[in-house]
Amino acid sequence: MVTFALLLVATACTLHDKNAATLVTVKVQVTLPAEYGNAAYAGRTVTLGNATATTDANGVATFTGIIPDIYTITTSAELSGAEYSALTGNVVDSYQYYTISGTLSNQVIQNESTITLNTLSTKAQALLISKLYYAGTNDNAGKTYQAAKYIEIYNNSANSVKVDSLYIGVAETNGAREFDPYVDTEHIYLKQVFQIPAGSNKVLAPGGSLLLVNSATDHTASNDMDLTGADFEAYSTTYATTTEVPDLTFVYGTGSKPITYLTLLPGTNNAWVIFNYPAGETMELVYGPAAKDKNATAMLNYRYVKLPVSYVVDAVEALKKNNSATYDYTTTKRFPVAIDGGYVTVSATNGRSGEVVYRTVARTTADGRIVLTDTNNSANDFKVGVNTQTAKTKLGTVGEDYAIVTPRTYPQ
Amino acid sequence: MYINTSKRLALWGGTALALFSMSAIANAKTLHHTAHPAPTHAEATKTYDVTIRLSERGTREPLIMATCVIGSINAHAITDYNGVAVMKNIPAGRYTVRIQYVGFETIERTIQVDRDLDMPIMMTASTLALKEVTVTAKRKIGEAGTVTTIGRQALDHLQAMSLADAIQLIPGQLMSNTDLTTASNIQLRTVSNNSNVAFGTSIVLDGVALSNNARPMQGTYSGTNTAGVSTDLRSISADNIESIEVVRGIPSAEYGDLNSGLVIVNSKVGRTPLQVRAKINPTTMNYSASKGVQLNNNGGVLNFNADYAKAWSDPRTKTRSYTRYTGGVAYSKDITRRWNTTTRLRFVLSRSWNGNDPDAIQDGTFEKNNAYTLGFTHNGRIRMNKKFSRTLNYTVGLNYNQSKARRSIIVSNASGFLPILTALETGYHEVPYYTTSYSASGGTESSPGNFVAKVDNDFGIKAGNTYQGFKMGISYNYDWNSGKGYYNDDDSYPLTPNNNGRPRPYSDIPGIHQIAAYVSDDFRWDLGRHSSLKVQAGLRFTAAQPWKEERTFALSPRINAAYKMNRFVTWRGGIGWNSKAPGMAQLYPDKKYTDILTARHISSSDPTTNYLLYYTHVYNTAYSPNMKNATTRKIELGVDFTLPQGRALSIVAYHDRTPNGFEVISDYTTFNYSTFTAAQGLNITPGSATTVDYTNPAGTYQYLLSKGTVGNTAVSVNRGIEVTMDLGKIDAIKTDFSLSGAFAESKTYSDDYSITSPVQSSYAYDEYGTRVVPLRLVYAGGKANSMSIYRQFSSQLHTTTHIPALRMVLTLDAQAIWQSYSKSLNPLRYPIAYFTSDPSQWTMITEAMLADPTTTLGGTSVLLSDQKQGGTENSTRTPITWNLRARLTKEFGQVGGISFYANNVLYYEPFLSSSSTTTLSQRNTSSYHFGFELFFKL
């Protein structure tokens, strides 16, 4: 590697010596992919070596005073869903963003020239489920404490995202899987659906997060988190839901008396999804196979929202820990690999360990914004940490250092 | 015929109890008349005196306080200081006299009374050196009903530590290990765990039934609660028991307040050497000492016993323990020659404890129960020797128990929001809530007491070849509870903060009075030398709470007959009704508390405004209305074959049906409540406490409430066949073989309607999530709709190798469970009716309404085709399992001996799957057990 770098420097020096006095002006014409039609890549930054220039209305970046040499020319920009729509005329939802990027490597510049930089446009989801705290903890008396569980949603894009009407759902959690995601790869089946209230005008800034809880109170007396700053609460009479924090809209819950709080269960599977659903379309409810032969009351416990995977914004599947070395987790997986290629699990079989599954940091941008890993595979994207010191000591694995996780902070 | 019968009735019309004469006896007598058109009149029969002189074989010392009985005419006598018993005025005839004495082999001798008899009889001390020993339970021969006796030798050989252990010797019961750490009860002839069967089993200790009537419950009535079952058998130590009689069939009318079984326990009375016993097994130890002393100058016999037992659930993790101290004194005294008395005092102190293993982290939680029982019984027998009053028996008993259960727990608070519901009155109550878990302590103090007085008059009549033993008596029973009941040490930190945790003082519950009267007639007709007919007929009248609204009455007739055809074959059969009156738990259920959230305001920034309002509805039933006794009809039919060389075969088929067992019934009432919200009804002012404007509710709703009263709708049908076969002895190997087997089927179902809320596609809720259902659907009950069926076929092969020369007995028992099957019938059914605001006004649902998807019920749209229940049928057959047990007892001369036992001696714990799953599960687990006993007779 070092040898290669030295070689490059040596080559550059040779060229520099030859044409020492001739500085040139280079124009880079950035062309957008076909879906953008005639739209221009205007007002974006293009990098040539160490130099940068902004494109004009025609998508041309002009570099002056360039020493002829071999350069790498790159450009990259994030378009919010709205900007993309404006450029392409395609209608998209607001949770998607588009990255336009192009690179020309080893471009030899000897004289004034116009170079064409072709770009690619890739679609990405702005919103991610960044943390899932479903394990709960033991309080100071050693009794289970489950009130401080939360879901955190993160804006992983460079643009602000309005999260109104975003849906949050959880897959069915019956002991035996109702629907095999390796058979029906096109749908997922949800037992509970919530929605960020339409009209709440909640906007997530780049790097901003949304904290969804069951009880936005201070749980530190019971060895857990202070959640008074949560954004939304799922209203229930089971938990102390406060008047200050707005309630999530309860959309659907299975069962004869649906549970209205977020069912983050410590000793089972937690397959959560955030999704977008076309306004005006009714969600389809289907009976699971286990409903067969059940009486009417029981059947209500086996009715799920059938959601096409195309509506999914992000999904994470946390499976119940199984201590058997040969256990096949794919027998309990609820989500098709297309939306979550893997799974994550906390170390305690029955939870109560204070463990949080959290998304790792992919990189930090120049302006300090944290970009979280998103490969659509929770096995790669997530790690397990704890959010209370007490819980950490209880886990008690010598030499194992758990990251301390609290809402809205991201262990590097 | 009628006139004839009336004439005969005049015979015993002299007694007040003739009032209770009934057809069964009359019929029995009529039968006698028909067969003997010219009967010998009773008055004409000559009578003689029978004198028995009893002494011990070898020492020739007189035996005092031995019981001599001629059963067929109810003649009793007890040997005096000189070992002499005189039975006066015995009508001429052939009788069997039975002589029993503690520590000696019982003697049964046939006598021909045709002159005054004077019989010197020698009794032999029970030892393994005798030719015959009885180390298994034996069916009582000559009884019309099915009675099994367990003698002292069998208890010794079993190493029983409490009465609970002895029950496994009964045919149909399975082998079990000694476990003193869990409460146990007796359930005879049922395969499913049925608390009504346990509650209906009477345990009579020295003539006094150990009452379980004064054990109320806190909270909703539940059959699984110990209050609803029988007396805890652990508290009766086995070492002071002389004999146990278990009546599975139809018991005599003398015993009442039972409907499923009768266990008669007799403790030791009489002069005995000092006996010291030490039993030990991996979880339990038990030491006991007993002695019977003869006081000088006809001062009577004094018996002492002391017993200590300590048990741990598992020696490795000591999370559960039980300690028992028992002490008793019995004093037998002949006040006059004709008046024999036995007075007993019994004291039991038991402690059970549940808590953390001493090696585990101590968090201060435990559960313990200290209970003491003080029992006093006085039994007297006065020989009147009158024609219509040969013996007068009386019993006075007083039992007092004080049980103090203490509990210290940490009440978990997983949701961080725990309303503390403690209101005792109907109305709106502001309720505090806790956000963390907390420590709570409290307990239950129950002090049930029982007083019994019973008088019984016995006499016998011989007429020709017929013998009649009449028994008639009255009894009074009072059960009360003076305990503090269920309580919290601090009511603001209750043990159960939800609506099931309200204190209940047991002393507020009315005591239960029971009066009973009975007559019974043991009739025997000698048809020939080896042929006879025995009929035992009886009638019992019981009344509970006779002066109160909630009174229950029962008239229970019964008849057992045995026809001995010849030396070899005896046919027997019987039918009888037995009834068990409801106890406090059933008659006086706890108040039903319903708490509904009606206002809630929680602010994280301004906690002074936090407000939680509940509406508490207290449904107070003074008593369960329309209660009846649980009555079981028992039918038995059997045949006994007696073969030479000790071989015998006995087959009995039984059918017990209880149509009115106790359970919580569906009985509804309504109340209204209102809700208040921040928008309407609540006055929320920042910085000050929230108030409520009751005149401005956000909504008012009707609530349909199940009252939680107890009724008589639990039905159980138990039937089966029991076979016992004595295969005789093979002398060459000194081994006796016997086989017992039982096929039993239990069916349980409820005759009550099942009432539920309808299933709707969308539900209405009040402002705080309580579902608002304006109606209830009614489904038919009964066996056609939901029934559980259990079947079990088990057999035990017993081999007893007895070598008198070595004073040693070895028994090997092989048990096989050939079939263990359970099935639940649950066919598809639809509602038959519904009710709305008036639970007593049911509207029938017709077929047409079921088919019509637009049906509305009382204005509520309910898709009736969706309201199906059942439609499933599950059955499980567990695989055949077997188990082997070995027991050995060896005596060392006269001074003592050792015993050893091992249960599941081959350590057979296979993994086998049942019919309903392919999962292998381990069978016979924790059945491997062993123990050792050392005993001395000094």
PDB file of all heavy atoms in Angstrom, chain B residues 164-178:
ATOM      1  N   ALA B 164     -51.430 -39.653  55.186  1.00  0.00           N
ATOM      2  CA  ALA B 164     -51.366 -39.493  53.730  1.00  0.00           C
ATOM      3  C   ALA B 164     -50.662 -40.682  53.074  1.00  0.00           C
ATOM      4  O   ALA B 164     -51.046 -41.119  51.991  1.00  0.00           O
ATOM      5  CB  ALA B 164     -50.646 -38.197  53.387  1.00  0.00           C
ATOM      6  N   ASP B 165     -49.639 -41.197  53.747  1.00  0.00           N
ATOM      7  CA  ASP B 165     -48.869 -42.294  53.145  1.00  0.00           C
ATOM      8  C   ASP B 165     -49.684 -43.576  53.071  1.00  0.00           C
ATOM      9  O   ASP B 165     -49.506 -44.384  52.169  1.00  0.00           O
ATOM     10  CB  ASP B 165     -47.614 -42.567  53.971  1.00  0.00           C
ATOM     11  CG  ASP B 165     -46.659 -41.388  53.961  1.00  0.00           C
ATOM     12  OD1 ASP B 165     -46.716 -40.620  52.990  1.00  0.00           O
ATOM     13  OD2 ASP B 165     -45.887 -41.246  54.916  1.00  0.00           O
ATOM     14  N   ALA B 166     -50.576 -43.759  54.043  1.00  0.00           N
ATOM     15  CA  ALA B 166     -51.280 -45.031  54.139  1.00  0.00           C
ATOM     16  C   ALA B 166     -52.261 -45.242  52.990  1.00  0.00           C
ATOM     17  O   ALA B 166     -52.549 -46.374  52.611  1.00  0.00           O
ATOM     18  CB  ALA B 166     -52.027 -45.093  55.472  1.00  0.00           C
ATOM     19  N   ILE B 167     -52.743 -44.146  52.421  1.00  0.00           N
ATOM     20  CA  ILE B 167     -53.809 -44.243  51.431  1.00  0.00           C
ATOM     21  C   ILE B 167     -53.352 -44.986  50.181  1.00  0.00           C
ATOM     22  O   ILE B 167     -54.142 -45.603  49.471  1.00  0.00           O
ATOM     23  CB  ILE B 167     -54.321 -42.821  51.087  1.00  0.00           C
ATOM     24  CG1 ILE B 167     -54.850 -42.164  52.355  1.00  0.00           C
ATOM     25  CG2 ILE B 167     -55.401 -42.834  50.032  1.00  0.00           C
ATOM     26  CD1 ILE B 167     -55.884 -42.962  53.121  1.00  0.00           C
ATOM     27  N   GLN B 168     -52.053 -44.974  49.919  1.00  0.00           N
ATOM     28  CA  GLN B 168     -51.573 -45.640  48.708  1.00  0.00           C
ATOM     29  C   GLN B 168     -51.763 -47.154  48.757  1.00  0.00           C
ATOM     30  O   GLN B 168     -51.609 -47.826  47.746  1.00  0.00           O
ATOM     31  CB  GLN B 168     -50.113 -45.296  48.450  1.00  0.00           C
ATOM     32  CG  GLN B 168     -49.201 -45.699  49.587  1.00  0.00           C
ATOM     33  CD  GLN B 168     -47.782 -45.263  49.319  1.00  0.00           C
ATOM     34  OE1 GLN B 168     -47.139 -45.779  48.431  1.00  0.00           O
ATOM     35  NE2 GLN B 168     -47.317 -44.292  50.076  1.00  0.00           N
ATOM     36  N   LEU B 169     -52.091 -47.692  49.916  1.00  0.00           N
ATOM     37  CA  LEU B 169     -52.317 -49.145  49.984  1.00  0.00           C
ATOM     38  C   LEU B 169     -53.704 -49.534  49.480  1.00  0.00           C
ATOM     39  O   LEU B 169     -53.978 -50.710  49.283  1.00  0.00           O
ATOM     40  CB  LEU B 169     -52.159 -49.620  51.438  1.00  0.00           C
ATOM     41  CG  LEU B 169     -50.755 -49.476  52.031  1.00  0.00           C
ATOM     42  CD1 LEU B 169     -50.745 -49.896  53.481  1.00  0.00           C
ATOM     43  CD2 LEU B 169     -49.740 -50.316  51.244  1.00  0.00           C
ATOM     44  N   ILE B 170     -54.567 -48.555  49.259  1.00  0.00           N
ATOM     45  CA  ILE B 170     -55.924 -48.839  48.811  1.00  0.00           C
ATOM     46  C   ILE B 170     -55.905 -49.201  47.324  1.00  0.00           C
ATOM     47  O   ILE B 170     -55.233 -48.535  46.552  1.00  0.00           O
ATOM     48  CB  ILE B 170     -56.816 -47.581  49.011  1.00  0.00           C
ATOM     49  CG1 ILE B 170     -56.708 -47.066  50.437  1.00  0.00           C
ATOM     50  CG2 ILE B 170     -58.255 -47.829  48.617  1.00  0.00           C
ATOM     51  CD1 ILE B 170     -57.232 -47.998  51.473  1.00  0.00           C
ATOM     52  N   PRO B 171     -56.643 -50.247  46.923  1.00  0.00           N
ATOM     53  CA  PRO B 171     -56.673 -50.580  45.491  1.00  0.00           C
ATOM     54  C   PRO B 171     -57.111 -49.377  44.655  1.00  0.00           C
ATOM     55  O   PRO B 171     -58.026 -48.653  45.034  1.00  0.00           O
ATOM     56  CB  PRO B 171     -57.715 -51.697  45.422  1.00  0.00           C
ATOM     57  CG  PRO B 171     -57.744 -52.291  46.777  1.00  0.00           C
ATOM     58  CD  PRO B 171     -57.415 -51.196  47.727  1.00  0.00           C
ATOM     59  N   GLY B 172     -56.431 -49.190  43.539  1.00  0.00           N
ATOM     60  CA  GLY B 172     -56.771 -48.070  42.671  1.00  0.00           C
ATOM     61  C   GLY B 172     -55.916 -46.855  42.933  1.00  0.00           C
ATOM     62  O   GLY B 172     -55.824 -45.965  42.106  1.00  0.00           O
ATOM     63  N   GLN B 173     -55.284 -46.792  44.090  1.00  0.00           N
ATOM     64  CA  GLN B 173     -54.389 -45.679  44.380  1.00  0.00           C
ATOM     65  C   GLN B 173     -52.998 -46.076  43.910  1.00  0.00           C
ATOM     66  O   GLN B 173     -52.653 -47.247  43.882  1.00  0.00           O
ATOM     67  CB  GLN B 173     -54.364 -45.367  45.885  1.00  0.00           C
ATOM     68  CG  GLN B 173     -55.716 -45.046  46.473  1.00  0.00           C
ATOM     69  CD  GLN B 173     -56.175 -43.636  46.155  1.00  0.00           C
ATOM     70  OE1 GLN B 173     -55.377 -42.714  46.085  1.00  0.00           O
ATOM     71  NE2 GLN B 173     -57.465 -43.462  45.933  1.00  0.00           N
ATOM     72  N   LEU B 174     -52.218 -45.061  43.554  1.00  0.00           N
ATOM     73  CA  LEU B 174     -50.900 -45.348  43.005  1.00  0.00           C
ATOM     74  C   LEU B 174     -49.834 -45.182  44.084  1.00  0.00           C
ATOM     75  O   LEU B 174     -50.030 -44.499  45.079  1.00  0.00           O
ATOM     76  CB  LEU B 174     -50.611 -44.410  41.835  1.00  0.00           C
ATOM     77  CG  LEU B 174     -51.623 -44.498  40.696  1.00  0.00           C
ATOM     78  CD1 LEU B 174     -51.279 -43.488  39.612  1.00  0.00           C
ATOM     79  CD2 LEU B 174     -51.663 -45.905  40.112  1.00  0.00           C
ATOM     80  N   MET B 175     -48.717 -45.831  43.849  1.00  0.00           N
ATOM     81  CA  MET B 175     -47.590 -45.721  44.778  1.00  0.00           C
ATOM     82  C   MET B 175     -47.130 -44.270  44.847  1.00  0.00           C
ATOM     83  O   MET B 175     -47.168 -43.557  43.863  1.00  0.00           O
ATOM     84  CB  MET B 175     -46.396 -46.517  44.242  1.00  0.00           C
ATOM     85  CG  MET B 175     -46.560 -47.992  44.295  1.00  0.00           C
ATOM     86  SD  MET B 175     -45.073 -48.706  43.562  1.00  0.00           S
ATOM     87  CE  MET B 175     -45.550 -50.420  43.526  1.00  0.00           C
ATOM     88  N   SER B 176     -46.706 -43.880  46.003  1.00  0.00           N
ATOM     89  CA  SER B 176     -46.212 -42.511  46.102  1.00  0.00           C
ATOM     90  C   SER B 176     -45.117 -42.463  47.151  1.00  0.00           C
ATOM     91  O   SER B 176     -44.958 -43.377  47.953  1.00  0.00           O
ATOM     92  CB  SER B 176     -47.340 -41.563  46.469  1.00  0.00           C
ATOM     93  OG  SER B 176     -47.862 -41.917  47.731  1.00  0.00           O
ATOM     94  N   ASN B 177     -44.375 -41.379  47.111  1.00  0.00           N
ATOM     95  CA  ASN B 177     -43.317 -41.178  48.092  1.00  0.00           C
ATOM     96  C   ASN B 177     -43.852 -40.378  49.261  1.00  0.00           C
ATOM     97  O   ASN B 177     -44.803 -39.629  49.118  1.00  0.00           O
ATOM     98  CB  ASN B 177     -42.172 -40.385  47.464  1.00  0.00           C
ATOM     99  CG  ASN B 177     -41.473 -41.169  46.395  1.00  0.00           C
ATOM    100  OD1 ASN B 177     -41.490 -42.398  46.415  1.00  0.00           O
ATOM    101  ND2 ASN B 177     -40.880 -40.475  45.446  1.00  0.00           N
ATOM    102  N   THR B 178     -43.187 -40.524  50.375  1.00  0.00           N
ATOM    103  CA  THR B 178     -43.512 -39.693  51.526  1.00  0.00           C
ATOM    104  C   THR B 178     -43.097 -38.268  51.211  1.00  0.00           C
ATOM    105  O   THR B 178     -41.960 -38.028  50.837  1.00  0.00           O
ATOM    106  CB  THR B 178     -42.732 -40.185  52.748  1.00  0.00           C
ATOM    107  OG1 THR B 178     -43.209 -41.473  53.067  1.00  0.00           O
ATOM    108  CG2 THR B 178     -42.913 -39.272  53.921  1.00  0.00           C
TER     109      THR B 178
END
